[in-house]
Amino acid sequence: MEQYFVKEIINSDKFTIDEAETFKHIAKVMRHKTGDIVYLVDPSEKLYAATIDEIDSENNNILTSIELVNRPSTEMPVDVTVACSLSKKDKIEWITQKSTELGAKTIIFFDSKYSIMKWKTNVVEKKLARLQEIAKNAAQQSKRRIIPEVIYVNKLADLLKYQAEANLVAYEESAKQGEISRLGQTLNQSPKSVLCAFGPEGGFAPDEIDFLNQNDFVSVGLGPRIMRAETAPMYFLSVLSYKYELTVK
Amino acid sequence: MEQYFVKEIINSDKFTIDEAETFKHIAKVMRHKTGDIVYLVDPSEKLYAATIDEIDSENNNILTSIELVNRPSTEMPVDVTVACSLSKKDKIEWITQKSTELGAKTIIFFDSKYSIMKWKTNVVEKKLARLQEIAKNAAQQSKRRIIPEVIYVNKLADLLKYQAEANLVAYEESAKQGEISRLGQTLNQSPKSVLCAFGPEGGFAPDEIDFLNQNDFVSVGLGPRIMRAETAPMYFLSVLSYKYELTVK
């Protein structure tokens, strides 16, 4: 059964779904009828089963009866931010979708020296809106309780605003030098929040790595194979899920 | 510096690169000149630095001087097979590329009840050749020592031929029931080889799960979020790399 995010807190046993896109998806795409059940997640991250009482096609809204569903949250026990160097449209859309499926809370795109793309100021808003839409759809599909926030910063220094308790930078040179233990060491400390920065296809410039290291970003290797820029964040998120959601205490 | 697989064992300090595609890539695409160095991996999984002595454009081959490079292997210490239900062309190409980057040794595609695709017998060879080419390119790019083998089986039962020491099936219902420990338990036993089967978007049919379970495939949950069919194998491979390549003993 599909899940939709709603923007208002659900605080009664009746709820009216009135967002145009959600209405369209339920009534037109999925062709739900009275009596069908859809799942709703509200801003308090609670999950509700909503039985459709009436599809009002004149006012484009759906009246439902609400029941709280007591199911464990699907959110990671640690707040994870992936910060990825700007790349081509299809790659950043893909990173947004997959990072959402894999549990990221925040997805940052940033300009770096060897980025092959740069966003002009006048397109940032539109591009972020599109990525935010992709994140919303992926979050609904993967049954998340929140929609990850997608952020753009036009210089590496602005990443510091979003620093977490543990800050990492995936660094190919670390991997080449056989660095294999820092990621595990960091995760073993069970930080409440983790941010990892990922460079572009051409890697970070040495002074970018220096800047990040000086600002408490620990360089970590992610294994001996060279991963494409979009693959490394997936590796990282999968490892965090395994470590914090699947590993027997 | 880029890496190429060669089909013959390198057993002298001179080597002639004569595969058409490799010749073209080195001489035409990358426009290498005499004195440039490229890396070669031979079927014994050894890595060599090859200094270009002559680019012979008449005979389409490249004469090189060879030096063994003593660098640790980039192969996982465990043989990993991902077996994925057949899906659309772009998805299986994507799975092949990413599974190669993430270290799979064997990539199997199989027909299952809820697969949205089926390959006709007369296209199998061509499709596998295309996927094998993608695996080769990804293996070169990610600096692997082997090219993963891509295999197609047209029924689930034929998967049994490829069973490993530990056999798993990623099962959404296991995840829903809060199963979080079997993957870790299996990996803690340090099997020499692991195979994990992944169902299609619509999941495995219950009798398919029964069949796999009866044949020693252990159902494992991969965390609380619903992943798309192509994302789950990436999660699995990332976890194995972390567990066997990055975790401090």
Side-chain angles (χ1 to χ4, degrees):
Chain A
M1 197 70 71
E2 73 272 16
Q3 170 191 312
Y4 301 91
F5 289 99
V6 297
K7 286 185 179 142
E8 309 91 66
I9 294 272
I10 296 177
N11 51 15
S12 109
D13 58 357
K14 297 286 174 190
F15 185 80
T16 302
I17 298 167
D18 57 6
E19 281 173 62
E21 197 205 349
T22 307
F23 171 83
K24 190 179 153 197
H25 202 266
I26 295 174
K28 310 290 178 190
V29 180
M30 302 303 292
R31 296 185 186 194
H32 280 298
K33 305 282 175 220
T34 303
D36 285 358
I37 293 175
V38 296
Y39 287 90
L40 304 179
V41 170
D42 78 354
S44 71
E45 302 180 25
K46 288 202 179 73
L47 176 69
Y48 297 93
T51 306
I52 298 175
D53 295 328
E54 190 191 333
I55 295 177
D56 180 349
S57 291
E58 238 169 72
N59 299 303
N60 281 357
N61 64 35
I62 298 168
L63 311 179
T64 68
S65 293
I66 289 292
E67 204 167 336
L68 179 69
V69 180
N70 260 320
R71 204 175 284 169
S73 175
T74 53
E75 293 303 316
M76 280 229 222
V78 50
D79 289 348
V80 187
T81 300
V82 287
C84 306
S85 181
L86 210 51
S87 182
K88 280 188 222 162
K89 182 167 172 274
D90 59 336
K91 298 245 171 177
I92 60 174
E93 291 189 355
W94 186 90
I95 289 172
T96 303
Q97 184 194 71
K98 293 295 170 232
S99 297
T100 301
E101 282 178 61
L102 292 166
K105 190 175 184 187
T106 310
I107 303 163
I108 303 177
F109 292 102
F110 62 90
D111 278 347
S112 64
K113 279 200 183 162
Y114 303 152
S115 292
I116 51 165
M117 300 288 292
K118 216 178 169 70
W119 284 355
K120 288 186 183 166
T121 315
N122 61 343
V123 303
V124 169
E125 197 179 337
K126 197 179 153 195
K127 285 188 181 283
L128 281 179
R130 162 90 180 134
L131 295 176
Q132 200 60 64
E133 189 63 26
I134 289 169
K136 182 187 168 187
N137 290 334
Q140 289 182 159
Q141 184 151 17
S142 57
K143 308 282 189 276
R144 302 248 337 232
R145 294 293 176 91
I146 61 154
I147 304 168
E149 191 182 4
V150 186
I151 292 169
Y152 170 70
V153 298
N154 70 0
K155 55 179 188 290
L156 193 62
D158 286 347
L159 252 192
L160 304 186
K161 289 188 219 164
Y162 300 96
Q163 272 183 291
E165 195 179 315
N167 301 284
L168 305 170
V169 49
Y171 191 38
E172 209 171 271
E173 291 304 318
S174 297
K176 279 189 197 159
Q177 289 154 23
E179 194 293 294
I180 60 161
S181 56
R182 282 195 217 118
L183 177 62
Q185 282 164 3
T186 302
L187 300 187
N188 283 341
Q189 289 162 10
S190 297
K192 285 199 180 61
S193 58
V194 186
L195 179 154
C196 190
F198 301 89
E201 222 53 72
F204 281 111
D207 66 308
E208 290 178 317
I209 288 290
D210 287 346
F211 172 80
L212 290 170
N213 288 165
Q214 280 156 18
N215 286 282
D216 299 326
F217 283 71
V218 175
S219 294
V220 294
L222 298 180
R225 288 168 298 284
I226 308 296
M227 285 182 273
R228 281 169 200 250
E230 76 273 17
T231 313
M234 309 307 116
Y235 180 104
F236 175 73
L237 288 163
S238 302
V239 165
L240 263 75
S241 165
Y242 175 72
K243 183 77 185 168
Y244 295 129
E245 299 183 311
L246 289 190
T247 303
V248 194
K249 291 283 187 297
Chain B
M1 198 70 71
E2 73 273 15
Q3 171 189 313
Y4 302 91
F5 289 100
V6 296
K7 286 182 180 145
E8 310 91 66
I9 294 270
I10 295 178
N11 51 17
S12 108
D13 58 357
K14 298 285 174 189
F15 186 79
T16 302
I17 299 168
D18 58 5
E19 283 173 61
E21 198 204 349
T22 307
F23 171 82
K24 191 178 153 197
H25 202 267
I26 293 174
K28 311 291 177 187
V29 180
M30 303 303 292
R31 298 186 185 191
H32 279 300
K33 307 281 174 219
T34 303
D36 286 358
I37 294 174
V38 298
Y39 287 89
L40 304 179
V41 170
D42 79 353
S44 70
E45 301 181 24
K46 288 201 178 73
L47 176 69
Y48 296 92
T51 306
I52 298 176
D53 294 328
E54 189 191 334
I55 296 178
D56 179 348
S57 291
E58 238 170 73
N59 298 302
N60 282 356
N61 63 34
I62 299 168
L63 311 180
T64 69
S65 293
I66 289 293
E67 201 167 340
L68 178 69
V69 179
N70 259 320
R71 203 177 283 171
S73 175
T74 54
E75 293 302 317
M76 280 228 224
V78 49
D79 288 349
V80 187
T81 301
V82 288
C84 306
S85 180
L86 211 52
S87 183
K88 281 187 220 163
K89 181 168 172 273
D90 59 337
K91 297 244 171 178
I92 59 173
E93 291 189 354
W94 187 89
I95 288 171
T96 302
Q97 184 193 73
K98 294 296 172 229
S99 297
T100 301
E101 282 178 60
L102 292 166
K105 189 175 184 188
T106 311
I107 303 162
I108 303 176
F109 292 101
F110 62 90
D111 278 347
S112 65
K113 279 200 182 161
Y114 302 153
S115 292
I116 52 166
M117 300 289 290
K118 216 177 168 69
W119 284 355
K120 288 187 184 165
T121 315
N122 61 345
V123 302
V124 169
E125 197 179 338
K126 198 178 152 194
K127 284 187 183 284
L128 281 179
R130 162 88 180 135
L131 294 176
Q132 199 61 64
E133 189 62 25
I134 289 170
K136 181 187 168 189
N137 290 333
Q140 288 181 161
Q141 184 149 19
S142 57
K143 309 281 189 275
R144 298 231 4 213
R145 295 292 177 92
I146 62 155
I147 304 168
E149 191 183 5
V150 186
I151 293 168
Y152 169 70
V153 299
N154 70 0
K155 54 179 190 288
L156 193 60
D158 286 347
L159 254 192
L160 304 186
K161 288 188 220 164
Y162 300 96
Q163 271 184 287
E165 193 178 316
N167 300 283
L168 306 169
V169 50
Y171 191 38
E172 210 171 272
E173 292 303 319
S174 296
K176 280 189 195 157
Q177 287 155 27
E179 194 293 294
I180 59 160
S181 56
R182 281 195 219 118
L183 177 60
Q185 281 164 5
T186 302
L187 301 188
N188 282 342
Q189 288 161 12
S190 298
K192 284 200 181 59
S193 58
V194 185
L195 179 154
C196 189
F198 301 89
E201 223 51 74
F204 280 112
D207 66 307
E208 290 178 318
I209 288 290
D210 288 347
F211 172 79
L212 290 171
N213 288 164
Q214 281 156 18
N215 286 283
D216 300 326
F217 283 72
V218 175
S219 295
V220 294
L222 298 180
R225 288 168 300 282
I226 309 295
M227 285 181 275
R228 284 171 198 250
E230 76 273 16
T231 313
M234 307 309 115
Y235 181 104
F236 175 74
L237 288 164
S238 302
V239 165
L240 262 75
S241 166
Y242 176 71
K243 183 76 184 165
Y244 296 128
E245 298 183 312
L246 289 189
T247 303
V248 195
K249 290 281 186 300

